[in-house]
């Protein structure tokens, strides 16, 4: 098992090129199921979640060609041979459920294993199912699978999400692209990854409008065609490295960074003690006077503060001056990083969905581990500022979402290495 060793206390200065967004890439990859033509995705981040999705698509009969040097992956679903997403692939990654909508829309049926429990709460997929039923799919649950059928094709309809769901909106938007007539998704998610997906689908011939607002309108078309799409930069990676700059009182230029992708995060971080400067080529994050101040944070759907940056922001608050109240409103049980941060000397008390963080003068390095992707990276950030050595176990979580993490941080002066045991 790999571990990451960090010797804390370095001020980070330098440039980090941001990768393509994992959470945009995953639904974009599933769109290949909507056409017989080739789909070329550029700026692909090579991560283990992407490999899991490639394995799943290949299992369905999609031809996949990866070119690592140009970061382009080509998908062709012409020879689709199966409509079953089996348990052993789906259990590795919940986002596998994104094949459900496209398969039933284009191939009239889909059999997708239920993703099951997850470390960050129960995470149901009832809205994906209800939405597809609204579009006319017949759905049965059995043997741990969702069996969806629409032999006559899907029909456009209005569907209102009772809770804002990112992958739910994506699944239905892809399905509705090939449905007969108009679909309106109401209380839809507004994340930049949804907008990126809609742009790609429109490039393939879909008729989608309203993306980025809470009502998305999709006029179904008969057929979609091939397309070449460039994946947008990863805003969660951008926020994570912005915190690396803040917590080490450094100065990092995030190449391809765009402050518009982090509308709630940037002002809060500025309040805490950094300055963002946008230029044509990226975003600079610089510590203002070598101090961070506690600020209150509440996670919300976009354009609110992203739950995927909550753990990292909590790490920043651990050594900030004053106190910070962090409220998690999207997922239950998303404070698994708290006991590990406390083992490093943090002062955090959890009350239900809120955590009170009282800043301490310093953290102390320790062996730590976490059970999800963002919690793991929050421990890496803690290691960057802690006194002494931190060993982060279960590195496979980091490999799901951070491309070249050690190299990117090392290039800014961090003392960080991967140990193989
Ligand atoms: C996506 C992101 C994930 C991020 C999350 C919230 C991808 C691949 N993953 O996950 O990184 O943390 O958005 O920003 O893009 N819900 C239901 N029923 C459903 C679906 C969701 O009740 O059918 C609830 C969930 O339990 C949760 C909330 O809706 O409380 C939001 O979840 P959702 O937006 O669906 O998260 P994901 O799309 O799985």
């Amino acid at each position: 098992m790999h571990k990451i060793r960090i010797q804390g206390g370095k001020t980070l200065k330098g440039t980090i090129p941001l990768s393509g967004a994992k959470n945009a890439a995953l639904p974009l990859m599933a769109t290949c199921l909507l056409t017989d033509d080739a789909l070329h995705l550029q700026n692909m981040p090579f991560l283990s979640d992407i490999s899991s999705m490639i394995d799943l698509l290949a299992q369905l009969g999609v031809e996949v060609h990866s070119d690592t040097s140009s970061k382009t992956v080509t998908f062709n679903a012409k020879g689709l041979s199966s409509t079953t997403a089996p348990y052993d692939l789906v259990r590795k990654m919940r986002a596998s459920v994104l094949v459900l909508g496209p398969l039933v829309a284009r191939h009239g049926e889909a059999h997708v294993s239920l993703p099951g429990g997850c470390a960050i709460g129960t995470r149901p997929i009832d809205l994906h199912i209800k939405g597809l039923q609204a579009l006319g799919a017949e759905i049965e649950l059995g043997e741990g699978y969702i069996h969806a059928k629409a032999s006559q094709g899907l029909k456009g309809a209005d569907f209102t999400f009772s809770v804002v769901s990112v992958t739910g909106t994506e699944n239905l938007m892809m399905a509705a692209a090939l449905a007969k007539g108009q679909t309106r998704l109401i209380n839809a998610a507004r994340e930049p990854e949804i907008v990126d997906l809609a742009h790609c689908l429109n490039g393939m011939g879909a008729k989608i409008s309203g993306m980025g607002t809470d009502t998305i309108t999709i006029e179904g078309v008969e057929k979609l065609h091939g397309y070449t799409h460039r994946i947008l930069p990863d805003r969660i990676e951008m926020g994570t490295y912005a915190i690396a700059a803040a917590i080490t009182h450094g100065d990092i230029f995030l190449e391809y960074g765009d402050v518009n992708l982090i509308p709630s995060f940037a002002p809060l971080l500025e309040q805490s003690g950094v300055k963002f400067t946008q230029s044509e080529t990226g975003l600079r994050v610089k510590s203002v006077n070598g101090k961070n101040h506690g600020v209150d944070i509440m996670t919300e759907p976009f354009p609110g503060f992203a739950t995927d940056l909550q753990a990292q922001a909590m790490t920043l608050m651990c050594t900030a001056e004053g106190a910070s109240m962090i409220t998690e409103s999207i997922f239950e049980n998303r404070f698994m990083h708290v006991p590990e941060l406390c083992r490093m000397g943090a002062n955090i008390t959890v009350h239900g969905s809120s955590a009170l963080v009282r800043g301490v003068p310093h953290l102390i390095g320790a062996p730590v581990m976490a059970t999800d992707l963002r919690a793991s990276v929050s421990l890496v950030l803690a290691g960057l500022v802690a006194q002494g050595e931190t060993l982060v176990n279960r590195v496979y979580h980091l490999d799901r979402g951070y491309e070249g993490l050690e190299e990117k941080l090392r290039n800014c002066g961090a003392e960080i290495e991967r140990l193989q045991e």
Side-chain angles (χ1 to χ4, degrees), residues 41-44 46 67-73 230:
L41 294 178
Q42 302 172 334
N43 199 28
M44 182 66 82
F46 288 101
D67 181 354
T68 40
S69 58
S70 68
K71 300 203 118 197
T72 300
V73 184
R230 188 174 171 81

Side-chain angles (χ1 to χ4, degrees), residues 188-398:
R190 294 185 276 166
E191 269 67 3
E193 292 75 23
I194 305 264
V195 177
D196 205 39
L197 175 65
H199 284 157
C200 178
L201 285 166
N202 281 347
M204 294 166 75
K207 289 188 178 155
I208 303 175
S209 57
M211 54 280 201
T213 75
D214 61 5
T215 304
I216 302 176
T217 305
I218 304 129
E219 301 289 344
V221 295
E222 241 171 56
K223 215 175 157 192
L224 295 178
H225 52 73
Y227 189 59
T228 299
H229 180 79
R230 188 174 171 81
I231 301 166
L232 90 169
D234 194 316
R235 66 194 164 96
I236 306 302
E237 195 194 22
M238 177 163 45
T240 302
Y241 292 131
I243 289 176
I247 203 168
T248 66
H249 308 136
D251 184 356
I252 298 182
F253 182 72
L254 302 165
E255 204 178 358
Y256 317 118
D258 177 356
V259 76
N260 295 316
L261 294 174
I262 45 172
S264 298
F265 174 87
L268 269 174
L269 223 65
E270 289 205 317
Q271 237 176 294
S272 174
V274 299
K275 183 163 169 41
F276 285 94
T277 314
Q278 181 73 55
S279 70
E280 261 181 34
T281 50
L283 185 63
R284 182 177 175 190
V285 193
K286 188 177 182 311
S287 175
V288 175
N289 56 9
K291 277 188 188 164
N292 296 303
H293 305 278
V295 289
D296 292 344
I297 293 169
M298 158 109 82
T299 63
E300 284 173 329
F302 192 87
F305 193 99
T307 173
D308 286 352
L309 284 169
Q310 178 258 109
Q312 301 90 312
M314 187 180 292
T315 300
L316 176 63
M317 295 304 139
C318 288
T319 53
E321 285 184 1
S324 161
M325 179 68 87
I326 300 184
T327 305
E328 173 57 56
S329 77
I330 307 288
F331 292 116
E332 58 198 83
N333 194 20
R334 204 173 196 182
F335 284 142
M336 284 99 57
H337 40 288
V338 170
E340 296 300 285
L341 289 170
C342 289
R343 289 181 56 243
M344 297 176 74
N347 181 346
I348 308 170
T349 341
V350 175
H351 306 272
S353 60
S354 293
L356 178 61
V357 187
R358 292 187 176 89
V360 294
H362 51 253
L363 296 176
I364 300 159
V368 285
M369 69 175 178
T371 44
D372 87 31
L373 165 59
R374 309 303 171 184
S376 297
V377 87
S378 77
L379 300 175
V380 171
L381 293 170
L384 291 175
V385 75
Q387 292 179 347
E389 184 181 277
T390 297
L391 276 176
V392 181
N393 292 281
R394 299 197 179 171
V395 171
Y396 58 85
H397 286 299
L398 294 167

Side-chain angles (χ1 to χ4, degrees), residues 23 123-128 163-167 307-308 330-331:
N23 284 354
R123 299 183 81 173
I125 52 160
D126 55 314
L127 297 171
H128 300 237
V163 178
V164 177
S165 166
V166 176
T167 48
T307 173
D308 286 352
I330 307 288
F331 292 116

